[in-house]
Amino acid sequence: MAEISIPGVSDKYKTNDYIDALMKKERIPLTREQESLDRYKEQQGAWRGMNQKMSALRDSTKTLYSFENPFNNKIASSSDERAITADAGREAEAGSIKIDVIKEATSDRFLSGEVDKNSKVPKGVYTFEVGDKKITFNYKGGKLTEFVNSLNKRGANTIKASLVGVSNGKSSLLLESLKTGDDNCLVLKDDALAYALENKIVEKSKKDVTTFGMDLSELDKPVDEATLSNPKIPEVEQDGMPPLTKTFVEYDEENEKLVVPPRSGFTIYVPEEFLTIPSEMFEFRYSTQEVEDLTEELNIKRSTRPELPDAGIATFETVTVQNEQSETDLPPVPLEPLVPIVGYEDFYVHNKDGSEVKIDTAALKLDSETGEKTVSLSLKQYPDMESIVVRNRNTGTQLYISEFSTYDEKKNLGYAPINPISQAGDAVIKYEGITITRPSNKIDDVVPHVTLNVHQPTKETATIDITNDKEAAKDALIEFVGRYNQVLAEMTILSENKPEIISELDYLSDSEKEEAEKKLGMFQNDFSLTNGKASLRAAVTASYRWSDTATLTMLNQIGISSRASGSTGGYVASQMRGYLEIDEKKLDSALDEKMDEIKNLFGYDSDGDLVIDSGIGYSIDRQLTSWVQSGGIIASKNNGIDTKIKASEANIRRLETQISSKEAKLRSKYGQMEGTLNNLNAQSNTISNFANGGKSQ
């Protein structure tokens, strides 16, 4: 059977080889254009890599002369870090601080007796207070664990509850305030207090009360109202009425009360130590008793005759004549009678500025058993209190006043914790011989720009040393040198076609060396790189005289230069290329002794406008900005390459279309040729078969 040949499928005549040979020549322009496109993309990638390295160097440089430069950083070290540590701000003064920690700030932490963790907490309104924060919620009743979760959800940064396992199946409920300080006591109210009493978290207690004012020597005369800075004398006062006096005020030892007769009064000064506690309360009780009114007797005693002046004398030279008194019997002149005063037992808070505030007693409830009213004064309500003034203006009423008492409202709640792990208290420290109290263990208002962190009492005076953060400055300089060398190496690789450039960079990995070899001499005809290298090298070797008395003006004076390693003589290629080296010993010495001068070396204000305008850092930053900013040198380079890439991609698309069309035409023609040849072969075979058949006949 004759071989079957299908044009375009079988390759009997090797037409595919002919087509491939013809198309290979046709693809030469396309291959060249694709190579150009790859080269453009490599160039663009190289510029992007340069941009990244320059941006990193720019950031590092800015750090060295900006407001947050590391040369102003301070560190604080404590001789007793278990008791007290410190954080120093940038503006803190270097030196030593002596601190004694008497007591750290604490919070209330109350532990209950043993309870079953599956016990029930009854339904009710549970209220907790810490300082000025109040947590109150309605609890529907449930397991203790559920109650703990409910409280913690609402407690936020105020209060926390937790269960502490004490034995098998038994736990203790821990209630703790999350705020320290005397003013942040944990206060239990409503059903929270009832539950705490029942479960032995707290127990009832008497108030810790201090009394004063029961000794007559503590009393002073009532303040003259006319001398007040805000005088307001009641209209009930009358001319001819005896002035208020403390002369007749007595102490009734049997009943332990001060007795204030009609038209009497006194001033009692509040002890100074109680006027510094914001939560301090002052209380006293008083009652009234009707006595014989003074007005009737006063009206009888008052004179109704006018008082005549003295008759006088007459003198002439050495003779003096005494006049006789007139014997004229004048008729009596009636006076306005005094009116009884009732209901004017007045109490005042006298302030340090000389003003007074009247205490409203009309709304106070009368105790049915004792017949007394209780006056309560809060220091929060009267922050400028100096004394309490009592004025019994009445003419027929006598006052009985109980002892004056004072107590801390926050600490005298009528109950006390049974198992306190800790109780709310201020931190107490001694600085420069002065005792200081603060509600928090972070104290930032004692030493300027230094925060003290109190942990526990010191056994002996702790010393906190504030010094320059040398390590931070050193790290920043090392980072600057490293990034500077990376930029300089990248510019050298791109601008010079010398293999030894890469071999000198012994810090590169094998893959980085391969990548560098691809970029070697890529822009060797680009003078912007050559000029850029020269400008950077000039910036780090220039002298910057930041003041007339400056002695440190060059980078090599702190141990950073292209010859910092100390090699002398001979040719060292890497040094000639301008890479920076660090003499660590020299740098350490400079950082120890000349930190401020190093800061000025990298950036200073030369014209007094409070803006940095000179220095190594400022100079390098300006140069790099011209490269990496939007519209800068690198952006312009990449824009030009973008244009080439777009043109190259358009050429590639055109050439690919042409080649595809050319190849299609060739395959069509060779396919027709194969078909024709196949037909001819078929006809030839037919003729041959016919001829062979005729012979056999």
Side-chain angles (χ1 to χ4, degrees):
M1 181 177 177
E3 182 182 351
I4 298 175
S5 177
I6 303 174
V9 177
S10 59
D11 193 16
K12 179 179 178 180
Y13 303 103
K14 306 297 182 183
T15 56
N16 287 335
D17 293 340
Y18 299 141
I19 293 171
D20 289 342
L22 292 171
M23 292 307 300
K24 186 174 182 180
K25 184 178 181 181
E26 294 290 335
R27 289 193 179 93
I28 290 175
L30 176 61
T31 301
R32 289 174 179 170
E33 197 64 53
Q34 287 174 331
E35 290 174 350
S36 295
L37 178 61
D38 291 340
R39 186 168 60 255
Y40 295 148
K41 289 182 177 180
E42 288 175 355
Q43 290 174 352
Q44 196 172 58
W47 283 121
R48 285 173 179 162
M50 175 63 73
N51 187 78
Q52 290 176 349
K53 287 181 171 61
M54 284 187 167
S55 295
L57 174 58
R58 184 184 178 215
D59 291 342
S60 179
T61 303
K62 276 183 174 293
T63 300
L64 291 172
Y65 79 90
S66 68
F67 172 75
E68 296 183 349
N69 70 80
F71 307 113
N72 283 340
N73 289 353
K74 302 291 192 302
I75 56 175
S77 58
S78 171
S79 63
D80 190 352
E81 293 192 349
R82 295 183 62 186
I84 185 169
T85 56
D87 299 315
R90 293 169 56 81
E91 297 180 14
E93 290 188 10
S96 295
I97 303 167
K98 303 290 186 180
I99 299 286
D100 290 289
V101 178
I102 311 302
K103 175 182 171 296
E104 76 274 23
T106 51
S107 62
D108 275 338
R109 303 177 69 206
F110 303 158
L111 196 64
S112 74
E114 288 190 5
V115 293
D116 190 330
K117 63 181 180 181
N118 293 318
S119 63
K120 301 290 185 180
V121 177
K123 175 183 178 182
V125 178
Y126 290 80
T127 302
F128 304 86
E129 293 181 3
V130 176
D132 57 356
K133 298 292 184 181
K134 183 177 182 179
I135 307 296
T136 184
F137 63 99
N138 292 312
Y139 185 61
K140 63 182 180 180
K143 292 182 178 181
L144 178 58
T145 52
E146 295 172 348
F147 175 79
V148 168
N149 291 335
S150 296
L151 178 56
N152 288 338
K153 285 179 181 178
R154 296 168 173 83
N157 297 320
T158 303
I159 185 173
K160 178 184 176 183
S162 56
L163 290 174
V164 180
V166 292
S167 62
N168 188 23
K170 296 289 184 179
S171 299
S172 286
L173 174 62
L174 176 63
L175 295 176
E176 54 184 318
S177 162
L178 299 180
K179 293 186 176 182
T180 58
D182 280 341
D183 292 337
N184 291 315
C185 295
L186 174 56
V187 180
L188 309 173
K189 291 185 176 181
D190 303 327
D191 292 300
L193 178 55
Y195 181 83
L197 288 168
E198 181 181 349
N199 289 276
K200 298 182 179 179
I201 299 175
V202 297
E203 62 184 355
K204 291 185 178 181
S205 66
K206 293 182 179 180
K207 291 183 177 180
D208 183 11
V209 175
T210 301
T211 60
F212 62 98
M214 289 297 101
D215 191 326
L216 293 178
S217 64
E218 296 180 56
L219 308 184
D220 200 352
K221 63 183 180 181
V223 178
D224 184 355
E225 292 176 281
T227 64
L228 297 175
S229 61
N230 61 335
K232 190 176 181 181
I233 303 173
E235 294 180 0
V236 72
E237 290 290 359
Q238 307 160 53
D239 290 337
M241 190 68 73
L244 302 178
T245 177
K246 85 171 185 73
T247 304
F248 305 107
V249 176
E250 298 178 349
Y251 180 65
D252 182 351
E253 293 185 2
E254 182 179 350
N255 296 306
E256 297 183 340
K257 292 182 180 180
L258 289 170
V259 181
V260 186
R263 302 302 297 172
S264 296
F266 60 84
T267 297
I268 180 164
Y269 288 90
V270 178
E272 188 67 30
E273 62 266 27
F274 301 121
L275 295 176
T276 60
I277 305 171
S279 56
E280 199 71 11
M281 291 289 296
F282 303 93
E283 285 187 357
F284 63 90
R285 301 185 309 279
Y286 77 94
S287 61
T288 61
Q289 182 182 358
E290 298 299 319
V291 295
E292 184 178 352
D293 199 288
L294 301 175
T295 53
E296 184 177 350
E297 183 180 352
L298 290 171
N299 285 328
I300 293 174
K301 290 182 177 180
R302 294 177 72 196
S303 173
T304 59
R305 289 179 180 274
E307 293 184 3
L308 297 176
D310 187 72
I313 59 175
T315 301
F316 179 75
E317 293 183 353
T318 60
V319 179
T320 299
V321 179
Q322 179 72 45
N323 293 331
E324 291 188 1
Q325 287 291 114
S326 173
E327 295 181 356
T328 303
D329 189 10
L330 296 174
V333 179
L335 297 175
E336 285 289 332
L338 297 174
V339 178
I341 301 174
V342 180
Y344 278 85
E345 55 276 9
D346 296 337
F347 305 93
Y348 299 83
V349 169
H350 188 85
N351 294 319
K352 296 174 183 177
D353 63 359
S355 64
E356 281 189 358
V357 180
K358 185 178 179 181
I359 302 169
D360 183 11
T361 58
L364 297 177
K365 292 183 179 181
L366 192 68
D367 189 313
S368 59
E369 294 183 5
T370 64
E372 293 179 320
K373 287 185 176 182
T374 300
V375 178
S376 296
L377 307 174
S378 168
L379 196 58
K380 289 182 179 178
Q381 185 180 2
Y382 303 101
D384 296 322
M385 178 189 297
E386 180 182 62
S387 61
I388 298 171
V389 182
V390 178
R391 295 188 179 96
N392 184 10
R393 303 180 193 276
N394 299 308
T395 55
T397 304
Q398 188 162 267
L399 296 183
Y400 295 90
I401 300 178
S402 70
E403 62 187 10
F404 291 81
S405 61
T406 179
Y407 61 89
D408 189 338
E409 183 182 23
K410 288 292 185 183
K411 294 185 177 180
N412 290 273
L413 304 170
Y415 61 84
I418 297 175
N419 301 305
I421 296 176
S422 64
Q423 290 187 265
D426 287 344
V428 182
I429 64 172
K430 187 174 285 188
Y431 170 63
E432 300 290 346
I434 302 171
T435 300
I436 298 167
T437 62
R438 291 293 184 272
S440 172
N441 285 317
K442 280 190 173 296
I443 304 174
D444 59 4
D445 58 351
V446 172
V447 183
H449 311 294
V450 175
T451 298
L452 302 175
N453 304 305
V454 175
H455 306 299
Q456 64 184 34
T458 51
K459 293 181 179 179
E460 54 187 35
T461 302
T463 301
I464 296 175
D465 294 318
I466 310 297
T467 58
N468 290 317
D469 192 348
K470 172 185 168 182
E471 291 304 316
K474 183 177 180 180
D475 290 344
L477 289 170
I478 291 173
E479 181 180 302
F480 161 74
V481 169
R483 289 181 173 176
Y484 173 88
N485 286 342
Q486 286 180 340
V487 169
L488 201 64
E490 191 75 4
M491 297 176 83
T492 303
I493 289 169
L494 292 173
S495 61
E496 298 182 30
N497 192 10
K498 298 177 181 179
E500 60 269 22
I501 294 173
I502 298 174
S503 61
E504 291 167 1
L505 305 175
D506 52 10
Y507 57 84
L508 295 180
S509 65
D510 292 340
S511 60
E512 288 173 333
K513 286 181 178 180
E514 290 179 9
E515 198 65 31
E517 287 171 357
K518 295 178 183 178
K519 296 184 288 185
L520 190 63
M522 184 177 285
F523 304 121
Q524 65 183 48
N525 295 322
D526 192 323
F527 292 105
S528 62
L529 288 172
T530 304
N531 294 335
K533 284 193 297 181
S535 297
L536 285 177
R537 292 177 64 179
V540 297
T541 56
S543 175
Y544 299 88
R545 184 162 293 279
W546 45 271
S547 78
D548 294 338
T549 59
T551 57
L552 196 159
T553 60
M554 298 184 70
L555 196 59
N556 62 4
Q557 290 177 273
I558 64 172
I560 300 176
S561 70
S562 59
R563 291 181 177 271
S565 60
S567 59
T568 56
Y571 170 79
V572 181
S574 61
Q575 292 179 346
M576 296 300 294
R577 299 192 205 286
Y579 300 134
L580 293 177
E581 300 173 348
I582 297 176
D583 181 340
E584 193 168 357
K585 185 176 180 180
K586 190 174 182 180
L587 177 59
D588 286 339
S589 177
L591 289 172
D592 284 334
E593 300 171 6
K594 301 179 179 180
M595 185 73 80
D596 287 339
E597 294 183 55
I598 296 174
K599 179 186 72 174
N600 290 331
L601 179 62
F602 278 89
Y604 64 94
D605 171 21
S606 64
D607 54 12
D609 63 353
L610 304 180
V611 177
I612 300 296
D613 55 17
S614 188
I616 296 173
Y618 174 80
S619 178
I620 292 177
D621 180 28
R622 286 194 64 188
Q623 292 184 38
L624 294 175
T625 298
S626 67
W627 283 82
V628 302
Q629 69 183 349
S630 178
I633 295 173
I634 292 178
S636 298
K637 300 284 186 183
N638 275 333
N639 287 338
I641 295 174
D642 276 336
T643 301
K644 294 179 180 179
I645 287 175
K646 290 177 182 178
S648 181
E649 288 174 341
N651 286 336
I652 289 172
R653 288 193 296 271
R654 178 179 56 79
L655 290 170
E656 286 176 341
T657 301
Q658 290 177 355
I659 290 170
S660 296
S661 177
K662 180 74 172 179
E663 186 174 2
K665 288 179 180 179
L666 287 174
R667 293 194 181 281
S668 176
K669 288 180 180 179
Y670 276 95
Q672 291 174 1
M673 181 190 72
E674 285 186 357
T676 302
L677 290 174
N678 287 337
N679 288 332
L680 291 173
N681 284 333
Q683 291 175 7
S684 175
N685 289 334
T686 301
I687 294 170
S688 296
N689 290 335
F690 179 77
N692 290 333
K695 289 180 180 180
S696 62
Q697 289 180 354

